[in-house]
């Protein structure tokens, strides 16, 4: 049986149903030709094979249990086999599993072919390793006596029954009760008289196991104590007294296999005999199944070394194998697979990728690592310092003519493998260590140049994308001059690119040139058409593409000569610098989030405390009188007082108000509370109120935490309204309380305007109006100092005045809250003007009664994206950096253009450029400075530079 890997014993195709399990087990036993013992018993107890199978699988399977010490004893505890002779019971239980379930578990759980019966069911259950057991590596036990007696070292895990090592015999101590000597007698110790054994040395069946061995005579003279043989552990009497018989071992019965009860077994034996005879006669070839043939059984190199050797072999089939596996390795293990650990791997992949030119040109590139100056042919690439004239060589190649829409199978296969080589390089270059390693490979730069200059072909799109991805990772380690073939290839590919993804990757590759080096990327020699194309791309609604363009412009405008190049082509209209700067100003607030910050203008004012305790109206008094004490006083307190942590009232004033209200209307059945009880009930009614004593020359007893209400409140929480009618001669308003506006209006009409209703319920408006006209009287509104009729000296129509009075009454409609928001009296909003009214009577009466909330104004912020350190990121940051480069380098660019230092006669031109280009965006910049916190520091420096440049 071939060795198998580690398999979870608890997963497999074993039926979970009890009956289905036994049906499947019986079918397997019949197919295998073994006798299934479903009624197996250990120590007189029935062993359920289904339970035994589940317990063993839960513990990891037969091999796992057999390899663990005392594990089968723990399995036996699941079946309550007893505490005595556990070793024998454990081995018997192991034998039950071994004979009936071991092969079934290998087949169903591990999905492997179990070993033959000759090395499984037909031998002892000693040992384990059934999954790796074969005829060649299994040696059956030579002595089956121990197995028959139930002593198995592996099954029981008991060390005392293992085969002892051969050791030199020790001489028995005198008086010991050892076994009868079966060999030659040992020489007695010196200085002891030897007493020979006159009995026969051959032990009879009646001789006890503890028969005494030959004993030397020991001198016992001068013994100072009484000798008792029974107390001597070495005496025969002691051995006999403490003798325990050997426990009985259950007999394991094995059925006799006959052709009658197991025909399949004998059929297989006959088949083997016939096969052996046929092999001997040469009729059939011998079977090597299970045998380790020469050259097999060795792991060989791992997959990494195997693919490297196959790639470098040059054999097409081996290279196909290597590329297939390298694609998977670079994708799945790209974070661990490094070029420096496998020398020659990068060179092999580059050489394979260079074969793409031979599919389209009559050339086969080769890499030479010879010294500089050696004569080289057109197809020889400089592996030491790069091929300087590579573009000229590519331009001189002869292109192979073939139909674009027809590819041969060989062509398609070669191109596919070249794409795989490019993909492996691309995947592995994403790891920083691999990118640094590849940056030292000059042939890689030549490959990228060649790939970007391949002819337009649908089949090459994938390889060109891989080349651009590689260039994006590599250019930050390279310093490319304006004449470098790769730099020129990237610029040319960008100018002629029609693919958005390729354009993005190309821009990033160009912008990252020499990013990790000390020397800066000057970006010399960029054609005007490419710059104009990038200016147009910044107007697109594509954040990723615009970000790549701005990264390029940030690198480009950092060089004064490039800014001079910009200015030189502005006048002729070849470069749209004005639209670019305008777009940069717009991008300063790209994806900004408008938020409003509240600022306090006027602080909140609490309502003024009432100067006196309100008198509750009659209808409310009737409701309160329905309750008995102390509920009556609690309702009265809630109606006339409210909680206020800053206010207080004297206990005597509160007690007197309570007495004045209820003394005359109380009855003996509902008497008033005592003073102490009433004060205690105040704290019960208002949890925040508590009685306190203000110490001093004359101590004051107060209730802290409550104050009188301006208007009483009924038991349902509804607040009454008071009549504010006050004629000029009166010193205070009417003050009558009403719960409903209709009741208040009727009170004003009858009590203050002198109207009444007729028998039909209508108001006598005509009679009152006529009488007033005869007497020369006019009707006016005296509600809280109303000035509605101050210019007209009142009205002659009581109906008009009555309708006007309704505007003073409380609004209880559904729109009351909305109207209250806009119908409040005016008040100064400025804090300095409000401060003079905060504690004066000039405050409108509405706010004296209801208080005034704090007044805020809101300031809008247009903040853009930030990172975890709250620094600006994204398009707004890149835009302001490009503008800063322009503002800083325009003066230097003027020097480069004119050769005259700033400050002489060319200073006016420099001021004109600054005002012409950057002056229009100054209002936008000032707005961003005031409303964008992340960009504030950048924009401040930019505005200062622009203003200084304009001012000269």
């Amino acid at each position: 049986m071939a060795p198998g890997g580690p398999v979870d014993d608890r997963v497999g195709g074993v039926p979970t149903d009890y009956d289905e399990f036994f049906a499947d087990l019986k079918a397997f036993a019949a197919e295998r030709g073994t006798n299934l013992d479903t009624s197996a018993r250990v120590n007189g107890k029935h062993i359920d094979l289904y339970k035994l199978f589940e317990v063993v699988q839960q513990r990891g399977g037969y091999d796992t249990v057999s390899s663990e010490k005392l594990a089968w004893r723990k399995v036996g505890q699941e079946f309550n086999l007893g505490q005595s002779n556990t070793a024998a019971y454990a081995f018997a239980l192991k034998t039950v599993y071994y004979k009936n379930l071991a092969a079934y578990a290998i087949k169903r759980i591990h999905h492997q072919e179990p070993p033959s019966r000759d090395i499984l069911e037909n031998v002892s259950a000693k040992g384990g390793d059934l999954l790796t057991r074969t005829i060649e590596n299994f040696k059956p036990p030579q002595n089956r006596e121990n197995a028959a007696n139930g002593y198995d070292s592996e099954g029981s895990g008991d060390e005392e029954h293992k085969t002892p090592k051969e050791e030199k015999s020790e001489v028995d101590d005198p008086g010991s009760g050892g076994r009868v000597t079966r060999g030659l007698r040992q020489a007695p110790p010196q200085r002891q008289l030897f007493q020979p054994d006159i009995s026969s040395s051959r032990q009879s069946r009646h001789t006890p196991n503890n028969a005494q061995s030959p004993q030397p005579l020991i001198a016992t003279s001068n013994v100072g104590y009484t000798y008792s043989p029974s107390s001597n552990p070495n005496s025969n009497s002691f051995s006999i007294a403490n003798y325990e018989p050997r426990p009985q071992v259950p007999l394991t019965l094995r059925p006799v296999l006959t052709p009658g009860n197991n025909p399949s077994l004998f059929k297989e034996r006959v088949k083997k005999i016939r096969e052996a005879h046929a092999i001997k006669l040469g009729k059939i070839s011998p079977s090597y199944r299970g045998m380790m043939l020469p050259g097999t059984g060795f792991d060989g190199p791992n997959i990494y070394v195997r693919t490297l050797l196959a790639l470098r072999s040059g054999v097409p089939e081996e290279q196909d194998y290597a590329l297939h596996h390298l694609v998977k390795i670079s994708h799945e293990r790209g974070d661990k697979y490094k070029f420096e650990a496998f020398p020659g791997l990068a060179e092999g992949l580059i050489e394979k990728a260079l074969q793409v030119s031979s599919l389209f040109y009559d050339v086969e590139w080769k890499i030479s690592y010879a010294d500089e100056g050696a004569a080289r042919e057109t197809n020889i690439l400089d592996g030491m310092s790069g091929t300087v004239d590579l573009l000229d060589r590519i331009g001189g190649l002869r292109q192979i003519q073939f139909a674009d829409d027809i590819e041969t199978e060989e062509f398609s296969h070669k191109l596919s493998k070249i794409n795989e080589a490019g993909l492996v390089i691309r995947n592995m270059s994403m790891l920083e260590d691999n990118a640094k390693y590849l940056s030292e490979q000059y042939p890689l730069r030549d490959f990228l140049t060649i790939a970007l200059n391949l002819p337009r072909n649908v089949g090459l799109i994938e390889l060109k994308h891989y080349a651009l991805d590689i260039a994006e990772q590599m250019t930050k380690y390279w310093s490319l001059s304006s004449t470098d073939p790769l730099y020129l290839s990237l610029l040319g590919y960008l100018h002629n690119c029609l693919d958005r993804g390729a354009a993005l990757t190309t821009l990033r590759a160009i912008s990252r040139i020499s990013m990790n080096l000390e020397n800066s990327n000057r970006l010399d020699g960029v054609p005007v058409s490419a710059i104009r194309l990038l200016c147009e791309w910044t107007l697109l609604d594509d954040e990723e593409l615009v970000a790549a363009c701005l990264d390029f412009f940030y690198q480009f405008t950092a060089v004064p000569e490039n800014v001079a190049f910009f200015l030189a082509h502005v006048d002729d209209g070849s470069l749209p610098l004005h639209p670019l700067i305008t777009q940069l100003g717009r991008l300063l607030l790209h994806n900004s989030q408008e938020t409003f910050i509240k600022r306090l203008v006027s602080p909140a004012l609490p309502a003024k405390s009432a100067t006196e305790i309100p008198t509750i109206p009659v209808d409310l008094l009737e409701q309160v009188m329905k309750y008995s004490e102390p509920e009556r006083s609690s309702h009265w307190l809630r109606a006339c007082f409210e909680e206020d942590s800053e206010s207080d009232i004297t206990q005597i004033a509160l007690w007197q108000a309570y007495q004045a209200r209820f003394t005359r209307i109380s009855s003996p059945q509902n008497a008033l509370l005592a003073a102490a009880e009433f004060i205690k009930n105040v704290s019960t009614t208002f949890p925040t109120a508590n009685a306190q004593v203000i110490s001093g020359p004359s101590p004051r007893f107060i209730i802290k935490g409550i104050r009188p209400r301006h208007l009483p409140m009924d038991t349902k929480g509804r607040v009454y309204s008071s009549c504010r009618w006050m004629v000029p001669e009166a010193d205070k308003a009417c003050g009558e309380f009403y719960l409903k506006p209709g009741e208040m209006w009727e009170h004003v009409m009858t009590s203050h305007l002198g109207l009444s209703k007729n028998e039909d319920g209508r108001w006598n408006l005509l009679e009152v109006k006529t009488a007033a006209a005869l007497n020369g009287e006019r009707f006016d509104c005296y509600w809280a100092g109303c000035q509605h009729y101050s210019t007209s000296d009142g009205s002659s129509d009581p109906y008009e005045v009555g309708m006007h009075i309704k505007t003073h009454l409380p609004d209880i409609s559904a729109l009351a809250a909305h109207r209250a928001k806009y119908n409040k009296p005016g008040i100064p909003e400025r804090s300095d003007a409000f401060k003079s009214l905060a504690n004066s009577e000039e405050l409108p009466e509405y706010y004296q009664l209801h208080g005034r909330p704090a007044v805020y104004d809101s300031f809008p912020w247009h903040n853009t994206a930030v990172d975890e350190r709250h620094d600006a990121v994204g398009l707004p940051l890149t835009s302001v950096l490009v503008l800063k480069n322009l503002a800083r380098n325009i003066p230097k660019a003027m020097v480069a253009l004119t050769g005259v230092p700033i400050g002489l006669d060319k200073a006016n031109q420099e001021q004109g450029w600054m005002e012409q280009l950057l002056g229009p965006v100054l209002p936008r910049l000032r707005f961003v400075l005031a409303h964008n916190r992340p960009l504030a520091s950048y924009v401040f420096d930019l505005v200062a530079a622009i203003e200084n440049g304009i001012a000269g």
Side-chain angles (χ1 to χ4, degrees):
M1 177 179 177
V7 179
D8 188 357
D9 288 346
R10 291 168 288 180
V11 179
V14 178
T16 56
D17 184 73
Y18 188 89
D19 296 332
E20 293 179 0
F21 171 83
F22 274 100
D24 187 53
L25 181 62
K26 291 178 181 179
F28 175 82
E31 180 182 356
R32 183 170 173 81
T34 57
N35 184 23
L36 179 65
D37 186 11
T38 58
S39 59
R41 307 180 74 86
V42 175
N43 194 23
K45 296 183 179 181
H46 172 70
I47 302 301
D48 187 352
L49 297 183
Y50 180 79
K51 179 179 178 181
L52 177 61
F53 185 82
E54 290 293 327
V55 172
V56 173
Q57 297 310 313
Q58 290 174 2
R59 293 180 174 270
Y62 179 89
D63 289 352
T64 302
V65 177
S66 299
S67 63
E68 182 182 349
K69 188 175 182 180
L70 304 179
W72 281 105
R73 295 190 182 185
K74 298 177 181 178
V75 174
Q77 294 176 1
E78 301 288 338
F79 296 87
N80 298 323
L81 299 180
Q83 299 299 325
S84 62
N85 202 14
T86 55
Y89 298 152
F91 182 77
L93 185 65
K94 177 182 178 182
T95 303
V96 172
Y97 185 94
Y98 181 88
K99 300 294 184 181
N100 299 281
L101 299 172
Y104 178 77
I106 296 174
K107 182 67 175 179
R108 294 292 187 264
I109 299 296
H110 300 276
H111 305 290
Q112 299 180 9
E113 284 298 324
S116 63
R117 293 186 304 274
D118 295 335
I119 59 175
L120 188 58
E121 289 92 343
N122 296 348
V123 297
S124 172
K126 293 181 62 176
D129 299 331
L130 296 185
L131 292 176
T132 58
R133 180 179 294 184
T134 61
I135 297 178
E136 291 75 15
N137 63 17
F138 177 71
K139 295 181 180 179
Q142 300 297 326
N143 186 6
R144 303 190 178 213
E145 179 181 357
N146 290 339
N149 292 333
Y151 292 101
D152 178 56
S153 60
E154 298 183 11
S156 63
D158 199 349
E159 296 291 342
E160 64 181 321
H161 296 298
K162 290 184 179 180
T163 303
K165 296 181 180 179
E166 182 177 0
E167 297 178 352
K168 185 176 181 180
S169 301
E170 298 287 340
V171 178
D172 292 341
D173 293 336
S176 64
R179 295 182 178 180
V180 177
T181 304
R182 294 182 181 271
L184 296 177
R185 294 184 178 90
Q186 299 288 339
Q190 296 182 2
R191 299 185 303 276
Q192 293 182 1
L193 296 178
F194 177 71
Q195 177 67 31
D197 184 10
I198 61 175
S199 61
S200 175
S201 61
R202 182 179 181 88
Q203 183 179 7
S204 64
R205 71 174 62 222
H206 300 290
T207 303
N209 290 336
N210 58 343
Q212 185 177 2
S213 10
Q215 300 291 323
L217 296 178
I218 303 176
T220 59
S221 61
N222 299 326
V223 177
Y225 58 91
T226 304
Y227 175 71
S228 175
S230 61
S231 62
N232 184 8
N234 296 325
S235 66
N236 290 340
S237 301
F238 184 87
S239 300
I240 295 174
N242 293 276
Y243 170 76
E244 293 184 1
R246 191 172 186 177
Q248 295 294 330
V249 178
L251 180 63
T252 302
L253 300 179
R254 181 184 302 170
V256 178
L257 300 179
T258 64
N261 60 18
N262 200 339
S264 58
L265 175 62
F266 287 89
K267 183 179 179 180
E268 184 177 349
R269 290 181 178 177
V270 172
K271 181 180 178 181
K272 290 182 178 180
I273 295 173
R274 291 177 179 177
E275 289 179 354
H277 183 67
I279 293 173
K280 185 177 181 180
L281 296 178
K283 296 182 179 181
I284 60 175
S285 59
S287 174
Y288 298 105
R289 181 181 179 183
M291 296 179 59
M292 183 178 294
L293 300 178
T296 62
F298 302 98
D299 295 336
N302 57 37
I303 187 61
Y304 305 109
V305 179
R306 174 74 174 86
T307 53
L308 173 61
L309 298 177
L311 182 65
R312 302 294 291 173
S313 67
V315 181
E317 292 79 5
E318 289 292 322
Q319 290 184 338
D320 293 349
Y321 167 85
L323 292 172
H324 171 76
H325 287 280
L326 283 174
V327 169
K328 296 181 62 177
I329 294 172
S330 64
H331 174 67
E332 299 174 359
R333 304 291 296 172
D335 57 333
K336 304 293 184 183
Y337 201 39
K338 298 182 180 180
F339 281 120
E340 60 183 11
F342 301 93
L345 177 60
E347 293 82 352
L349 291 171
I350 295 173
E351 292 174 359
K352 183 65 178 180
L354 286 172
Q355 296 178 7
V356 65
S357 295
S358 61
L359 300 179
F360 298 91
Y361 298 101
D362 188 14
V363 66
E364 184 177 350
W365 299 109
K366 295 183 180 179
I367 303 174
S368 173
Y369 295 94
D371 294 337
E372 186 67 27
R376 295 196 177 96
E377 301 178 1
T378 304
N379 65 327
I380 303 299
L381 302 177
D382 187 355
M384 298 296 295
S385 58
T387 308
V388 180
D389 59 343
L390 183 57
L391 290 179
D392 296 335
R393 297 188 187 187
I394 295 175
L397 297 177
R398 183 176 63 85
Q399 187 172 349
I400 300 175
Q401 301 296 329
F402 60 90
D404 291 343
D405 54 347
I406 299 177
E407 294 182 356
T408 62
E409 182 180 358
E410 180 183 3
F411 178 91
S412 178
H413 178 74
K414 289 182 178 179
L415 184 58
S416 174
K417 295 305 172 182
I418 292 172
N419 286 336
E420 289 182 358
L423 177 58
V424 174
I425 300 175
R426 181 261 180 198
N427 289 345
M428 297 187 65
S429 66
M430 298 299 169
L431 188 64
E432 196 69 19
D433 294 340
N434 288 336
K436 292 180 181 178
Y437 183 90
L438 289 174
S439 65
E440 302 174 358
Q441 302 291 327
Y442 282 93
L444 179 63
R445 294 171 61 170
D446 293 341
F447 161 69
L448 297 178
T449 303
I450 294 171
L452 295 178
N453 288 276
L454 289 171
R456 291 182 177 273
N457 187 282
V458 177
L460 292 173
I461 295 178
E462 181 180 356
L463 183 62
K464 290 183 178 180
H465 276 281
Y466 295 155
L468 291 175
D469 289 340
I470 298 170
E472 182 183 355
Q473 302 298 321
M474 295 291 105
T475 53
K476 57 186 176 182
Y477 299 104
W478 292 335
S479 178
L480 304 180
S481 64
S482 59
T483 59
D484 189 277
L486 178 57
Y487 179 72
L488 296 175
S489 299
L490 289 171
L491 290 177
Y493 195 85
L494 174 65
H495 183 262
N496 301 317
C497 183
L498 300 177
D499 183 272
R500 174 186 175 276
L504 277 171
T505 312
T506 307
L507 274 174
R508 291 168 181 163
I510 296 174
S511 302
R512 296 181 182 181
I513 294 176
S514 68
M515 180 184 295
N516 290 6
L517 305 179
E518 294 183 358
N519 54 335
S520 59
N521 179 18
R522 301 186 62 85
L523 292 178
D524 297 332
V526 182
V528 176
S529 57
I531 297 178
R532 183 172 59 251
L533 182 63
L534 297 182
C535 291
E536 295 172 355
W537 284 353
T538 57
L539 302 176
L540 299 176
D541 186 15
D542 189 334
E543 183 174 352
E544 192 174 9
L545 182 59
V546 173
C549 294
L550 294 183
D551 288 339
F552 173 84
F553 281 127
Y554 174 68
Q555 297 285 342
F556 187 80
T557 56
V559 181
E561 289 78 7
N562 292 339
V563 178
F565 179 80
F566 250 130
L567 299 178
H569 291 83
V570 170
D571 289 337
D572 58 6
S574 56
L575 287 180
L577 186 56
H578 291 86
L580 174 62
I581 294 177
T582 303
Q583 178 65 6
L584 292 176
R586 297 193 191 102
L587 293 176
L588 293 176
L589 295 178
H590 177 73
N591 282 345
S592 62
Q593 300 293 329
E594 185 177 17
T595 57
F596 293 90
I597 304 300
K598 296 175 64 177
R599 297 186 305 177
L600 179 65
V601 176
S602 299
L605 285 180
K608 294 182 63 176
S609 299
T611 57
E612 57 184 15
I613 301 174
T615 302
I616 61 176
V618 178
D619 58 339
L620 179 57
L621 182 60
E622 293 176 354
Q623 297 179 24
V624 173
M625 290 302 297
K626 295 179 181 179
Y627 297 93
S628 58
E629 294 293 352
E631 286 80 5
R632 181 178 66 182
S633 60
S634 296
H635 284 290
W636 176 76
L637 288 170
R638 295 190 188 98
C640 299
F641 297 89
E642 60 184 353
E643 291 181 310
D644 183 3
S645 59
E646 301 298 328
S647 301
D648 61 77
I649 186 173
T650 61
Q651 298 181 15
I652 187 61
L654 187 60
W655 167 248
Q656 290 175 354
Y658 170 68
Q659 283 186 320
R661 173 53 57 190
F662 295 104
T663 298
R664 290 189 296 177
I665 59 177
S666 61
S667 61
Q669 294 80 12
N670 195 5
L672 298 181
L673 292 175
E677 293 295 330
F678 174 75
I679 298 301
K680 182 179 179 181
N681 190 43
V682 175
S683 300
T684 305
T685 305
F686 299 106
T688 59
N690 56 85
Q692 297 181 3
V693 179
I694 305 299
S695 59
S698 57
R700 296 176 61 243
F701 297 87
I702 64 171
I703 299 293
K704 183 72 173 180
I706 62 172
R707 69 177 183 180
R709 290 181 178 272
H710 289 278
L711 301 172
M713 182 180 67
D714 71 348
T715 57
K716 296 182 180 180
R718 296 175 297 182
V719 179
Y720 282 79
S721 300
S722 64
C723 178
R724 312 298 301 280
W725 194 276
M726 185 173 65
V727 296
E729 297 82 7
D731 56 351
K732 63 177 182 179
C734 171
E736 292 289 336
F737 294 108
Y738 293 93
L739 190 60
K740 298 179 180 180
E743 297 175 353
M744 177 71 73
W745 185 73
E746 290 188 0
H747 161 72
V748 173
M749 297 298 288
T750 56
S751 301
H752 301 302
L753 292 182
L755 299 179
S756 60
K757 291 184 178 181
N758 300 323
E759 294 180 357
D760 56 357
R762 295 178 179 270
W763 294 98
N764 58 344
L765 297 175
L766 183 58
E767 293 83 352
V768 175
K769 182 178 181 181
T770 303
L774 294 175
N775 297 328
E777 297 177 356
R778 298 184 65 84
F779 299 94
D780 200 349
C781 178
Y782 298 104
W783 186 279
C786 177
Q787 303 294 323
H788 183 70
Y789 296 104
S790 60
T791 58
S792 59
D793 193 21
S795 173
S796 60
D797 188 359
Y799 175 79
E800 178 184 352
V801 178
M803 293 298 103
H804 163 72
I805 290 173
K806 286 187 176 182
T807 62
H808 296 296
L809 302 181
D811 187 4
I812 60 174
S813 63
L815 299 176
H818 177 74
R819 293 169 181 169
K821 181 178 180 181
Y822 300 99
N823 293 340
K824 294 179 181 179
I827 191 171
E829 297 293 339
R830 292 177 53 192
S831 58
D832 54 351
F834 184 79
K835 193 177 299 182
S836 62
L837 303 176
N839 297 314
S840 67
E841 298 298 332
E842 299 178 11
L843 193 66
E845 187 177 4
Y846 176 86
Y847 293 111
Q848 295 184 24
L849 297 178
H850 302 283
R852 181 184 183 278
V855 179
Y856 296 90
D857 67 352
S858 58
F859 183 81
W861 287 97
H862 299 270
N863 293 327
T864 50
V866 294
D867 59 8
E868 63 276 2
R869 296 178 299 179
H870 300 285
D871 293 334
V873 293
L875 297 182
L877 175 62
T878 316
S879 300
V880 73
L881 293 178
V882 174
L883 290 173
K884 286 183 66 175
N885 283 347
L886 291 173
R888 184 178 64 251
N889 291 327
I890 283 179
K892 300 177 183 178
M894 291 302 302
V895 176
L897 286 175
T898 61
V900 179
I902 297 301
L904 299 180
D905 55 351
K906 296 299 181 181
N908 292 332
Q909 295 185 15
E910 182 257 332
Q911 297 172 19
W913 277 115
M914 292 287 286
E915 186 173 2
Q916 180 184 356
L917 294 176
L918 300 176
V921 298
L922 269 177
R924 179 78 168 178
L925 294 177
R926 293 191 179 100
F927 179 84
V928 174
L929 178 61
H931 296 82
N932 191 308
R933 286 179 175 174
L935 293 178
S937 59
Y938 300 96
V939 178
F940 178 82
D941 297 337
L942 174 59
V943 171
I946 296 175
E947 291 178 345
N948 293 336
I950 294 177

